[in-house]
Amino acid sequence: MCGIVGAVAERNITAILLEGLKRLEYRGYDSAGVAVYTNAGKLERMRRPGKVSELEQALAAEPLMGRLGIAHTRWATHGAPCERNAHPHFSGDLAIVHNGIIENHEALRAQLSVLGYEFTSDTDTEVIAHLLNHKLKDLGDLTVALKATVKELHGAYGLAVISASQPDRLVAARSGSPLVIGLGLGENFLASDQLALRQVTDRFMYLEEGDIAEIRRDSVQIWDISGKAVEREAVQYRDGAEAADKGEYRHYMLKEIHEQPSVVQRTLEGRLSANQVLVQAFGPQAAELFAKVRNVQIVACGTSYHAGMVARYWLEELAGIPCQVEVASEFRYRKVVVQPDTLFVTISQSGETADTLAALRNAKELGFLASLAICNVGISSLVRESDLTLLTQAGREIGVASTKAFTTQLVGLLLLTLSLGQVRGTLAAGVEAELVEELRRLPIRLGEALAMDAVVEKTAELFADKHHTLFLGRGAQYPVAMEGSLKLKEISYIHAEAYPAGELKHGPLALVDNDMPVVTVAPNNELLEKLKSNLQEVRARGGELIVFADEQAAMTNGEGTHVIQMPHIHDILSPILYTIPLQLLSYYVAVLKGTDVDQPRNLAKSVTVE
């Protein structure tokens, strides 16, 4: 969730560190800092609360020039977002930056205080700095001291350390928080995301869980969790940097919403035959494993959890497989009764979501049949640690509020549903061929939904002075309503709740008045008439309705009712289509409210801590 950048080179690296931080701003943060072993032969730092631009201005006024350095963007977990809590943290002649949470920091703080160390911040990270300093005094070598230090840390960490006493190296450790080494010519780099280093290299080496690395200007050494020296494969990153450019769009979020037809097309490519899903898209053992599946357990967080909720309707209706969906942070901390032959499915945009990763690792001890990751990042921990994988091909998603990742996750989950039904022989005759054909048309349908952009922008004006909103849906549209509600609250800061439409009279109806807009999605399916009755309950209480309705649903505008006509689509695929206008609505409401659309307050893109 925070950002790390490091460099060791034969040139001044301050500008490289700053550019790396800028490229990691999409993750969400509240302060930024840099530490450099300067040409004057000493370790110096600059830290600022707020945006990287504040740090950049400070460095312009007081430059730090050097060939070894680390930098960080922090998202507060321990201590307020202020300069003294910002990274890097110092102890003696060393500086450290840290992503993650150290769970035993209080016990370590007490021990270190007895040893005479004084703490100047409220962070758990400063504990690591002092502990490492203590080890370095005894052991003399920075790398050896780091190996000894991490043995006493409980929790998650991605660490980068430099020392004025050993200015020939940058050392790093990874446990539960991703780190990547960038390989150059006569210079090497470190980051929490390869995007931070794309301006200096396209060759990367990904640290595995438990790895320790010593990075010098002309060499890289890595030791695994057992302490054995290992080599990690160098990978050339060929994806272009265009994802980091907003292009013609005002915000990354709007750009990513409009990319959905193309990324859905990419997600489908190579995975469909003439009338079937290619099961091997999930891995060479997929068909054999899928034939044994009798139950599915889905675990995810946030937007990915909503995708899993939609999939439950599909799996049970189409494939006839019982499915449970649970929030990862709940699943990992309760006693779980595993049904026989259950496929454990995780969903994550980044593949580094801490709770989802922990749930996967826990699941491996519980006797699940196999694990499957639906993820957008091929080199992520979630992908590497799962038995089967489907990559969603959404491309880099910069906006904190997920859009194209969600719709491609839904496509991946529908492919999973059809694959399970195909292998197990539980799909009704002709259903797979029909849905494969509908999937081929889906990018066109999404384009038609995006063509409603101006209509949705006008509709957003209804929310200009509103502070609360209800979202309603029935069946598989209920999770879509939940996702629409989440998007609105994430980026416009309007309080929003979602309910199954049939639950209105069981409590939420008490909230409805002319200051509470009610947004609903109304595809033309067997639940439409029941939904219309629910909407009449809203109008009878003076509630204002915004209805995204199938063009064949025979719904029209009226007093207090605003109907936006949606292109007709097969009911199974309707959750994917109806997501689009809800994303656009949230976006345009946020623009009207004047919020930070791409980096909403208090949130981060990749949640790599609990």
Side-chain angles (χ1 to χ4, degrees), residues 70-109:
I70 52 178
H72 191 263
T73 50
R74 174 179 184 256
W75 187 79
T77 57
H78 296 76
C82 57
E83 184 169 331
R84 69 186 181 87
N85 288 329
H87 298 212
H89 287 285
F90 278 14
S91 183
D93 68 353
L94 64 83
I96 184 171
V97 292
H98 164 225
N99 288 353
I101 289 177
I102 304 304
E103 294 176 349
N104 61 331
H105 71 98
E106 291 181 350
L108 291 172
R109 182 183 286 256

Side-chain angles (χ1 to χ4, degrees), residues 494-512:
I494 290 177
H495 170 241
E497 296 186 57
Y499 288 92
E503 279 291 291
L504 261 182
K505 61 177 68 70
H506 297 283
L509 201 56
L511 297 172
V512 172

Side-chain angles (χ1 to χ4, degrees), residues 551-579:
E551 60 191 7
Q552 298 180 7
M555 298 187 71
T556 57
N557 291 321
E559 184 180 355
T561 301
H562 310 271
V563 178
I564 298 94
Q565 300 287 344
M566 293 287 292
H568 179 68
I569 193 169
H570 192 291
D571 185 47
I572 291 296
L573 274 65
S574 63
I576 306 172
L577 182 73
Y578 280 74
T579 294

Side-chain angles (χ1 to χ4, degrees), residues 124-235:
D124 53 341
T125 301
E126 191 179 5
V127 170
I128 310 173
H130 292 324
L131 180 61
L132 180 57
N133 177 272
H134 178 64
K135 300 290 184 184
L136 184 58
K137 289 178 181 177
D138 289 339
L139 299 170
D141 182 87
L142 185 61
T143 308
V144 174
L146 182 61
K147 291 178 180 178
T149 298
V150 298
K151 291 178 180 178
E152 298 188 27
L153 303 180
H154 300 162
Y157 52 82
L159 302 174
V161 186
I162 58 174
S163 172
S165 65
Q166 297 170 41
D168 59 341
R169 74 190 75 175
L170 161 66
V171 296
R174 181 248 162 104
S175 179
S177 192
L179 288 174
V180 58
I181 296 169
L183 303 173
L185 297 174
E187 57 187 12
N188 288 307
F189 310 93
L190 180 78
S192 50
D193 187 322
Q194 72 268 17
L195 179 65
L197 304 176
R198 288 290 285 122
Q199 80 275 20
V200 288
T201 185
D202 62 355
R203 293 179 62 240
F204 299 97
M205 193 178 287
Y206 297 91
L207 296 186
E208 301 283 347
E209 190 74 1
D211 279 357
I212 302 282
E214 179 184 278
I215 305 163
R216 298 175 184 250
R217 187 177 63 80
D218 53 4
S219 67
V220 172
Q221 288 183 276
I222 300 174
W223 296 266
D224 67 13
I225 195 169
S226 68
K228 178 184 176 183
V230 294
E231 292 186 7
R232 299 296 181 210
E233 180 185 4
V235 178

Side-chain angles (χ1 to χ4, degrees), residues 240-291:
E242 64 275 2
D245 183 2
K246 289 193 285 278
E248 64 186 51
Y249 296 97
R250 182 175 176 182
H251 296 95
Y252 286 113
M253 183 180 178
L254 185 61
K255 174 177 180 278
E256 288 157 6
I257 289 172
H258 280 268
E259 287 175 342
Q260 287 174 109
S262 61
V263 298
V264 164
Q265 181 67 47
R266 287 207 301 266
T267 301
L268 292 170
E269 285 175 357
R271 290 164 174 170
L272 302 176
S273 67
N275 53 16
Q276 283 189 320
V277 175
L278 298 173
V279 178
Q280 58 267 39
F282 291 88
Q285 283 77 48
E288 180 182 353
L289 283 171
F290 286 177

Side-chain angles (χ1 to χ4, degrees), residues 218-531:
D218 53 4
S219 67
V220 172
Q221 288 183 276
I222 300 174
W223 296 266
D224 67 13
I225 195 169
S226 68
K228 178 184 176 183
V230 294
E231 292 186 7
R232 299 296 181 210
E233 180 185 4
V235 178
Q236 189 160 15
Y237 187 66
R238 299 188 181 278
D239 188 19
E242 64 275 2
D245 183 2
K246 289 193 285 278
E248 64 186 51
Y249 296 97
R250 182 175 176 182
H251 296 95
Y252 286 113
M253 183 180 178
L254 185 61
K255 174 177 180 278
E256 288 157 6
I257 289 172
H258 280 268
E259 287 175 342
Q260 287 174 109
S262 61
V263 298
V264 164
Q265 181 67 47
R266 287 207 301 266
T267 301
L268 292 170
E269 285 175 357
R271 290 164 174 170
L272 302 176
S273 67
N275 53 16
Q276 283 189 320
V277 175
L278 298 173
V279 178
Q280 58 267 39
F282 291 88
Q285 283 77 48
E288 180 182 353
L289 283 171
F290 286 177
K292 301 174 184 177
V293 173
R294 293 163 55 192
N295 301 276
V296 172
Q297 171 71 63
I298 297 175
V299 171
C301 301
T303 286
S304 298
Y305 170 68
H306 298 156
M309 290 184 68
V310 173
R312 177 174 58 186
Y313 288 91
W314 290 340
L315 284 162
E316 297 194 344
E317 177 181 348
L318 296 173
I321 299 175
C323 177
Q324 295 188 70
V325 186
E326 192 158 356
V327 173
S329 57
E330 292 296 314
F331 179 88
R332 65 182 290 198
Y333 289 118
R334 72 173 182 85
K335 282 192 171 293
V336 177
V337 177
V338 180
Q339 296 297 318
D341 299 320
T342 298
L343 178 66
F344 188 81
V345 177
T346 55
I347 313 169
S348 171
Q349 188 283 134
S350 68
E352 303 294 348
T353 307
D355 286 318
T356 308
L357 264 174
L360 171 62
R361 291 164 183 165
N362 185 38
K364 291 183 177 181
E365 309 298 322
L366 296 176
F368 284 92
L369 173 67
S371 59
L372 164 67
I374 293 180
C375 184
N376 191 39
V377 182
I379 44 74
S380 64
S381 301
L382 198 70
V383 168
R384 291 198 304 271
E385 297 180 27
S386 297
D387 300 313
L388 303 172
T389 299
L390 186 81
L391 296 178
T392 54
Q393 306 299 333
R396 184 165 300 280
E397 190 176 62
I398 304 295
V400 167
S402 183
T403 52
K404 61 179 180 175
F406 178 66
T407 47
T408 53
Q409 286 171 356
L410 289 177
V411 170
L413 288 162
L414 185 52
L415 294 177
L416 172 63
T417 300
L418 295 174
S419 296
L420 285 167
Q422 175 195 138
V423 171
R424 298 175 71 254
T426 53
L427 289 172
V431 166
E432 185 172 16
E434 180 185 9
L435 288 174
V436 164
E437 186 60 33
E438 292 291 336
L439 280 167
R440 294 187 195 282
R441 296 193 190 104
L442 180 59
I444 296 172
R445 294 289 176 268
L446 298 182
E448 292 170 354
L450 287 167
M452 301 161 51
D453 187 291
V455 175
V456 179
E457 183 177 10
K458 182 68 176 175
T459 304
E461 295 174 6
L462 298 171
F463 294 78
D465 61 346
K466 298 297 189 287
H467 302 284
H468 308 277
T469 303
L470 284 179
F471 284 75
L472 303 177
R474 296 200 72 134
Q477 297 295 341
Y478 167 48
V480 172
M482 294 177 70
E483 176 62 12
S485 167
L486 177 62
K487 285 292 157 286
L488 190 68
K489 70 182 75 169
E490 276 182 308
I491 63 170
S492 75
Y493 314 148
I494 290 177
H495 170 241
E497 296 186 57
Y499 288 92
E503 279 291 291
L504 261 182
K505 61 177 68 70
H506 297 283
L509 201 56
L511 297 172
V512 172
D513 59 21
N514 57 11
D515 288 324
M516 173 77 82
V518 178
V519 180
T520 189
V521 286
N524 189 24
N525 60 23
E526 71 278 2
L527 294 174
L528 178 61
E529 293 307 317
K530 294 184 182 298
L531 178 63

